[in-house]
Amino acid sequence: MEKEYWINKWQNKELGFHQPSVNPLLGSHFSTLALEEGARIFIPLCGKTLDIGWLLSLGYQVVGIEMVESAVIQLFEELQVTPDIKAIGKLKCYRAGELEIYVGDIFDLTLDILGDVDAVYDRAALVALPDPIRQRYASHLPVLTQHAKQLLISFVYDQSKMAGPPFSVDDAEIKGHYGVAYTLTLLADDKVKEPVKGNKDILEKVWLLTSNN
């Protein structure tokens, strides 16, 4: 979506996409990533998700990117930490302890800037993007993260009955984006527990992606 769309959402506090608790699917399936203590986890389009605090509390490093700076400011305020802030190319980096968040366009984030990551947690990035931006993102992410293993949450529903975001991304599209570079394992497939935009007829899926390289 356009940057102005998300800025308006945050300014108007239309934050239905922001979960008021840690995503239960993360707690249920995080162990499948089989990460070592202190591993570095990348969260694209992270917002101010409470999942970040949960991961930090377990001793992991977290790095994310978010286009709306006010969301990042709120994240650090709610974590009660004061970040160091510096410009890096077209991006701005907020850093404190084991947390590092970039502000800007994910397509301006490069491997040289991001550095090595051990895993990706895509909780709300792929499903937030319309086609063809979604296609571009799915091509960019494996290169950016050197095909790090990934925990991916997707939604599947009748797009004619509800406008995205979140967008419906069915199994065929997931396999089209990632099926060559990764082995895909479907970990969960169930109806959403809470309606999304009033819609209960949405399947929420959890995928584990492991590199074929």
Side-chain angles (χ1 to χ4, degrees):
M1 304 298 287
E2 294 294 333
K3 180 178 180 179
E4 290 74 18
Y5 172 89
W6 293 109
I7 289 175
N8 289 335
K9 286 287 186 183
W10 283 96
Q11 286 180 341
N12 297 327
K13 298 183 179 179
E14 297 173 357
L15 304 179
F17 54 85
H18 174 70
Q19 295 180 322
S21 59
V22 175
N23 192 322
L25 295 176
L26 175 62
S28 297
H29 300 287
F30 179 73
S31 63
T32 62
L33 289 170
L35 296 173
E36 296 182 0
E37 184 177 352
R40 192 165 186 251
I41 303 164
F42 177 53
I43 306 180
L45 282 61
C46 61
K48 60 170 186 175
T49 174
L50 299 180
D51 299 345
I52 290 173
W54 185 79
L55 291 168
L56 291 170
S57 74
L58 295 177
Y60 295 101
Q61 302 175 63
V62 177
V63 56
I65 186 163
E66 168 59 46
M67 70 172 66
V68 181
E69 188 167 16
S70 63
V72 177
I73 292 170
Q74 290 176 46
L75 168 66
F76 281 87
E77 288 176 346
E78 291 173 12
L79 290 172
Q80 298 183 332
V81 291
T82 302
D84 292 323
I85 306 169
K86 67 176 181 179
I88 302 178
K90 295 180 179 180
L91 305 172
K92 189 181 290 186
C93 181
Y94 282 64
R95 182 183 288 114
E98 301 303 321
L99 177 60
E100 184 177 342
I101 305 292
Y102 291 91
V103 177
D105 189 329
I106 190 169
F107 299 113
D108 290 326
L109 182 62
T110 64
L111 176 58
D112 287 343
I113 295 173
L114 178 63
D116 293 337
V117 297
D118 299 295
V120 177
Y121 170 45
D122 185 340
R123 50 170 285 280
L126 186 70
V127 297
L129 301 170
D131 217 10
I133 299 175
R134 194 159 63 237
Q135 297 179 35
R136 185 182 174 201
Y137 165 83
S139 297
H140 179 59
L141 190 64
V143 176
L144 178 64
T145 63
Q146 300 180 90
H147 294 86
K149 50 193 167 183
Q150 182 177 165
L151 194 65
L152 168 66
I153 297 174
S154 66
F155 296 106
V156 179
Y157 63 90
D158 184 349
Q159 192 83 67
S160 69
K161 295 182 178 179
M162 186 182 90
F167 294 96
S168 178
V169 184
D170 63 21
D171 297 11
E173 183 175 344
I174 296 285
K175 293 172 184 176
H177 289 318
Y178 297 125
V180 173
Y182 299 90
T183 297
L184 279 61
T185 304
L186 182 61
L187 303 176
D189 180 357
D190 202 358
K191 279 193 173 184
V192 292
K193 300 297 187 291
E194 299 293 334
V196 178
K197 294 184 176 179
N199 189 353
K200 295 181 179 180
D201 296 323
I202 297 177
L203 289 176
E204 192 169 29
K205 301 196 173 195
V206 183
W207 297 88
L208 176 66
L209 282 60
T210 52
S211 176
N212 287 331
N213 296 337

